[in-house]
Amino acid sequence: MRLANKTALITGGNSGIGLATARLFVKEGARVAITGRDRGKLDAALKELGPNAIGVVADSTDVAATEAAVAQAAKAFGKLDIVFANAGIAGNTPLGGSSLETFESVLRTNVTAVFFTVQAALPHLNDGASIILNGSVISVLGNPGYAAYAASKAGVRAMARVMASELSPRRIRVNVVAPGATRTPIWDGAAPTEAAKAALEQRIAKTVPLGRIGDADEVARTVLFLASDDASNIQGAEIFVDGGATASPAGAPVYRG
Ligand code: NDP
């Protein structure tokens, strides 16, 4: 088991990528604390994860609630070895049709809250711990309608590098996992029906060299790698889990003859 005797905090651990990662971490021997705002989703996740997981309802944009959640995890498990700052929201902010409220809520959740999650965790982290932040391909792809989300995820990458510098004296590693389109409930707003989901997936798949969207498990396995000692000399990196969408877009089906 790759995470035997390790302790982890996963924000947004009651759904999608966070839940897939919690599942994998528990399977690999870790004790895991998950957070989220929705008590019902949290309880369902905990039922599935079993006795090595605890859940704390906490809005990551609320600094006091985040500090309390980390303290609760530390009280249950002792010091933490892994933090996956994963909680995030999408949000459409096209030029000409966006409110300040939506724009700021994306930045507040995806950047500000990530910073304060790491800051809250610091006193409870073991030296040599691993912090993973969740980025996105949208930080570099220029998808129309996603200015706030793209800025937020570019902010995550930039912040990770600063954090890596600040935390290297404690041998704490800070890295980013940057998923491409991945099948999770985050798409429910953009594609509310099964038919709309299938159409969206098909459209996105044409822009991905490997020809499909990803599964949450594929991101979780990369997070596991970054969290584990297998990544012991990886610091300040960003790993894309995107079927080649950012590195080799010209290989996508849409460009093939
Ligand atoms: P989900 O919607 O399934 O999960 C999002 C999670 O974040 C939920 O657990 C949600 O819990 C939590 N969350 C959102 N806002 C807050 C908040 N203010 N406080 C606490 N928890 C919060 O989507 P994904 O699993 O897809 O998203 C996880 C991360 O992956 C996000 O950062 C997203 O940007 C990133 N990502 C996803 C991609 C995809 O295609 N799926 C692609 C690239 C990046 P609750 O609702 O209970 O608060």
Side-chain angles (χ1 to χ4, degrees):
M1 290 209 274
R2 289 158 81 184
L3 300 182
N5 302 317
K6 301 275 188 188
T7 56
L9 172 78
I10 300 176
T11 65
N14 63 9
S15 176
I17 292 167
L19 178 55
T21 305
R23 242 181 241 130
L24 186 57
F25 278 15
V26 166
K27 196 171 143 212
E28 292 290 338
R31 283 174 299 154
V32 179
I34 60 172
T35 71
R37 293 162 300 177
D38 184 320
R39 160 61 67 192
K41 281 197 293 176
L42 207 58
D43 286 345
L46 288 174
K47 206 168 158 197
E48 181 196 334
L49 291 170
N52 284 329
I54 63 164
V56 187
V57 174
D59 184 333
S60 63
T61 66
D62 176 340
V63 174
T66 300
E67 287 171 352
V70 179
Q72 209 171 314
K75 193 168 168 217
F77 299 151
K79 289 226 164 193
L80 296 173
D81 300 299
I82 301 157
V83 174
F84 182 27
N86 160 75
I89 54 170
N92 212 235
T93 55
L95 275 172
S98 297
S99 67
L100 179 63
E101 196 192 355
T102 306
F103 199 97
E104 290 197 325
S105 103
V106 172
L107 289 175
R108 193 175 159 88
T109 307
N110 294 0
V111 183
T112 312
V114 168
F115 176 85
F116 284 99
T117 294
V118 173
Q119 178 164 287
L122 266 189
H124 303 287
L125 283 184
N126 279 317
D127 287 355
S130 172
I131 297 171
I132 301 104
L133 312 184
N134 204 331
S136 169
V137 293
I138 292 184
S139 70
V140 290
L141 285 181
N143 296 46
Y146 281 100
Y149 187 79
S152 74
K153 295 301 188 177
V156 163
R157 175 186 33 248
M159 226 165 41
R161 293 174 181 199
V162 174
M163 288 173 174
S165 292
E166 293 187 20
L167 299 180
S168 281
R170 287 182 57 192
R171 294 178 292 102
I172 294 173
R173 298 182 295 104
V174 187
N175 293 291
V176 177
V177 66
T182 304
R183 200 174 289 113
T184 73
I186 209 169
W187 294 97
D188 288 354
T193 65
E194 285 309 309
K197 263 196 197 92
L200 181 71
E201 286 196 12
Q202 251 179 8
R203 203 166 68 239
I204 294 173
K206 286 190 192 134
T207 68
V208 178
L210 292 183
R212 61 177 178 86
I213 79 163
D215 279 324
D217 282 344
E218 295 177 294
V219 182
R221 288 198 293 273
T222 307
V223 178
L224 169 64
F225 166 67
L226 288 171
S228 76
D229 292 342
D230 290 344
S232 54
N233 201 28
I234 300 185
Q235 176 67 305
E238 181 174 31
I239 300 185
F240 287 89
V241 186
D242 68 348
T246 49
S248 54
V254 72
Y255 292 115
R256 291 180 206 153

